[in-house]
Amino acid sequence: MTSTRTGSAPVEASPSAFPTGFLWGAATAAYQIEGAVDVDGRSPSIWDTFSRTPGRTAGGDTGDRATEHYHRYRQDVRLMSELGLGAYRFSVSWSRVQPTGRGPAVERGLDFYRRLVDELLEHGIQPAVTLYHWDLPQDLEDLGGWPARDTAERFADYAALLADALGDRVGIWTTLNEPWCSAFLGYGSGVHAPGRADWTAALRAAHHLNLGHGRAVEVLRASLPRDARIAVSLNLHEVRPLTASAADREAARRIDAVGNRVFTGPMLGGGYPDDLLADTEHLVDWQDLVHDGDLAAIARPVDLLGVNYYTPTVVSALPHGQDPGSATASEAGHGDGAQSPFVGCADVLFHRAPGPRTVMGWPIDPSGLTDLLLRLHREHPGLPLMVTENGAAFDDRPTAEGSVHDPQRIDYLRGHLDAVRRAIAAGADVRGYFLWSLMDNFEWAWGYGKRFGLYYVDYATQARTAKDSARWYAEVIRRNTLPDLPG
Ligand code: FCB
C-alpha cells in the first residue's frame, strides 16, 4: 500500500489493552512443518520438486522431514496450549488430500487434519485453516499450473472437499496465503516453486489465483455453517517512495498496483485498477484473460481480510540512462531471481531503510504495520482485519544450559503489537494477531537457516525448546495487553 509518510504513524498512544475477544494466535504452513512427504498417499507438490532441484534452496534443504509435525502434532498442540493460544493457523497440503489435484479425497490425508483439529478443539484452541499455502500438486503444475485457468476450478473442488470434511469443526477459513508470492515469486522471478521467470505467466497466475479464491469463497459459503468466517491472507506491501519527487511517487504507484491492488482491487469489489491494466497491457491481453463473470466471482465478499506484514517497501525511480539490469529488485527482500518479481517494473529501484534488520535482511519498522492497517480501514471501511502473519528471524542459539534468549524477537514483537494497538486506537477493526511462527521451520528457498519460531527446533533430535519470546508472548496473551509498555 502506498503512503507518502516515512515516519511513524501520526496516532496517539493508546491504552495498552487489546479489545476483549481479540484473537491471539500463531501460524505455520504444511510444507514448512509436516514432513512425511511420502506417506498416506501424499504425492509431490511443486515445493517437493523445487526443493529437490539442485541450486534452488539454501544448502539443498527440502521439507522431507521439516519438523515432523505430521507425527508430532499432539506434542505441538501441547506447546500451543502452554502459550495459551486462542487460535492456530495452519495450512492443508493439497497433495495429501487430492494427490493429483483432482478427483475424490484420500481419506487418510483428510484424517490427519481431522485428528489435528480435534486435538486443537480439545485444548480449547480454534483452528484457522488455510487451504493453500503455496504447495500446488505437481500434477496440476504439469498441466499448466496457476497460469492455466483450469487450476482455479480445481482449487474450488478441493475447497469443497475440505469444507465437507472439516466444516463442522473449523470456524475460520482462509482461501489463499499470499497469492502475490505464488504468482510473482513462483512464476515472475522464479525464486519460489515452480521456479518460472515469465512475467506474462505471472499475471495469468495472479488472475487465476484471484478466480480460484472467488470460486472457493462461493463453495465455502454454500457449505459451511453461517457463523464460519471466510478470509484471504495477503502480503500487502507498505510501499513508500524514497523521496517526494514525482518520479519516486510514480514508482511507488506502480509497485502498489502490481504488488497490492492486483489482488485487493478485484477481491474487494473494485475490479482490476485501470492503472494496473495500462501498466501491464504490453505483457498480457487482459480482455482475453478475464472472462465475463470473473470479476463478480472474485468479488464475493469475505468476512475478514488477513494481513501479513514483515517490513516496508521503499522504492525510487531508476535514474535516466541507467541500465535496469536484473538487480533492481534485489533490495526488495524477496530473494534474487532471474528478473524482478514486480512485473513490468525493471526500472524501479528498491532500498532498505537504515537501522536494525532481521537476519532476513528486512528492516524493522513497525510504523509500516500501523500505516497499512489504517489505509485498509480508510479504503475498505467496515471490513474486519486480522494480522495473519508477523514475526522475525534471528540467529537464535541455545546456551550451554539449553535456554534460548531472543531479546531481539521480543523487541520486534513488542513494537509490532504496539503498532497493531495504535491502529486499533485510531479506528481500524483488527480482530486478531497470528504470530509467525509457532516453531522454527523450513523457510522456503532459505532452508532451515532462518529461524522464526517461538520454539527453537533442534533439527537433529526434533526437540522443541521455548525461547524467551514464547514466555513473553504467553504473558501478552494471558493479560491481553503489552505487559512491558507503559499504559
Ligand atoms: C511469509 C510466508 C510464510 C513465511 C514468512 C516468513 O511470506 O507466508 O510461509 O515464510 O513469510
Side-chain angles (χ1 to χ4, degrees):
M1 308 255 109
T2 50
S3 140
T4 50
R5 280 190 308 272
T6 49
S8 47
V11 181
E12 293 303 311
S14 59
S16 60
F18 285 83
T20 307
F22 190 79
L23 197 56
W24 293 102
T28 63
Y31 189 67
Q32 294 180 276
I33 63 166
E34 286 180 1
V37 292
D38 52 7
V39 306
D40 293 339
R42 183 187 180 280
S43 68
S45 78
I46 54 175
W47 267 97
D48 295 276
T49 309
F50 186 79
S51 64
R52 289 172 188 167
T53 307
R56 289 303 205 171
T57 64
D61 288 350
T62 71
D64 286 1
R65 277 187 77 194
T67 68
E68 295 185 349
H69 173 76
Y70 192 76
H71 297 297
R72 296 171 185 265
Y73 71 93
R74 285 205 169 83
Q75 173 193 350
D76 291 336
V77 173
R78 279 203 300 278
L79 304 181
M80 299 175 211
S81 180
E82 264 172 40
L83 290 170
L85 294 188
Y88 171 55
R89 173 175 181 250
F90 63 95
S91 78
V92 172
S93 157
W94 187 345
S95 57
R96 234 182 244 302
V97 170
Q98 262 186 322
T100 61
R102 53 177 69 231
V106 171
E107 287 302 318
R108 282 173 301 164
L110 282 176
D111 282 345
F112 167 68
Y113 298 104
R114 291 188 179 109
R115 290 194 302 270
L116 171 62
V117 164
D118 287 347
E119 192 74 15
L120 289 166
L121 293 174
E122 273 167 34
H123 285 80
I125 300 168
Q126 283 192 53
V129 166
T130 298
L131 294 177
Y132 185 75
H133 198 126
W134 306 354
D135 44 357
L136 189 72
Q138 181 63 44
D139 280 11
L140 288 186
E141 176 58 27
D142 295 343
L143 293 170
W146 285 108
R149 188 176 171 92
D150 188 55
T151 302
E153 308 302 337
R154 301 285 68 75
F155 181 63
D157 289 352
Y158 158 67
L161 295 178
L162 262 295
D164 201 38
L166 301 177
D168 58 340
R169 314 166 235 202
V170 173
I172 303 176
W173 293 75
T174 303
T175 55
L176 303 172
N177 176 71
E178 302 191 354
W180 184 84
C181 296
S182 299
F184 297 107
L185 299 181
Y187 296 93
S189 67
V191 299
H192 277 186
R196 289 166 62 181
D198 173 345
W199 281 348
T200 299
L203 286 165
R204 294 179 58 83
H207 178 61
H208 299 139
L209 283 153
N210 276 326
L211 184 61
H213 158 78
R215 294 258 194 268
V217 172
E218 182 181 4
V219 161
L220 293 175
R221 195 70 77 196
S223 44
L224 295 176
R226 289 177 71 111
D227 56 355
R229 287 181 291 168
I230 301 174
V232 61
S233 287
L234 303 178
N235 58 314
L236 296 171
H237 303 77
E238 169 59 24
V239 188
R240 294 169 167 179
L242 183 67
T243 74
S245 74
D248 288 357
R249 291 165 69 101
E250 168 65 3
R253 179 199 63 71
R254 287 168 57 204
I255 297 303
D256 184 48
V258 295
N260 298 321
R261 290 181 287 117
V262 62
F263 298 108
T264 53
M267 284 180 179
L268 301 178
Y272 287 105
D274 290 343
D275 61 328
L276 168 77
L277 300 180
D279 289 350
T280 56
E281 64 185 0
H282 62 295
L283 294 170
V284 81
D285 180 350
W286 286 98
Q287 295 280 357
D288 178 59
L289 181 61
V290 182
H291 296 191
D292 282 352
D294 283 5
L295 292 176
I298 298 168
R300 287 186 188 277
V302 289
D303 304 305
L304 286 169
L305 178 65
V307 177
N308 295 359
Y309 172 86
Y310 292 90
T311 189
T313 302
V314 180
V315 300
S316 69
L318 186 77
H320 281 302
Q322 195 169 314
D323 173 15
S326 64
T328 51
S330 68
E331 290 299 300
H334 299 295
D336 287 330
Q339 58 183 351
S340 173
F342 294 95
V343 298
C345 295
D347 54 344
V348 173
L349 291 174
F350 291 79
H351 306 266
R352 298 197 199 191
R357 298 177 180 187
T358 70
V359 292
M360 299 298 286
W362 299 342
I364 299 173
D365 187 346
S367 74
L369 181 53
T370 310
D371 290 350
L372 181 56
L373 293 169
L374 288 178
R375 174 180 174 188
L376 291 165
H377 168 60
R378 264 195 321 276
E379 295 185 357
H380 306 283
L383 177 63
L385 306 173
M386 183 99 97
V387 176
T388 42
E389 279 184 31
N390 175 245
F394 292 105
D395 275 328
D396 305 313
R397 282 170 224 266
T399 62
E401 299 73 46
S403 314
V404 183
H405 302 305
D406 59 343
Q408 291 171 294
R409 181 171 293 100
I410 294 175
D411 282 353
Y412 180 98
L413 295 173
R414 184 192 294 112
H416 286 78
L417 283 172
D418 191 39
V420 174
R421 202 174 63 111
R422 285 167 184 272
I424 294 172
D429 181 5
V430 187
R431 302 286 175 93
Y433 175 91
F434 287 77
L435 193 153
W436 186 272
S437 180
L438 175 67
M439 58 187 151
D440 297 338
N441 58 50
F442 174 75
E443 180 46 38
W444 307 111
W446 302 94
Y448 293 98
K450 308 291 185 212
R451 295 179 174 274
F452 277 88
L454 290 172
Y455 286 86
Y456 182 90
V457 176
D458 175 339
Y459 291 109
T461 63
Q462 293 291 348
R464 281 87 156 122
T465 303
K467 302 179 190 177
D468 288 352
S469 57
R471 282 181 278 275
W472 181 86
Y473 191 50
E475 186 66 4
V476 170
I477 295 174
R478 196 178 63 75
R479 296 173 55 176
N480 200 38
T481 188
L482 286 176
D484 40 5
L485 267 190

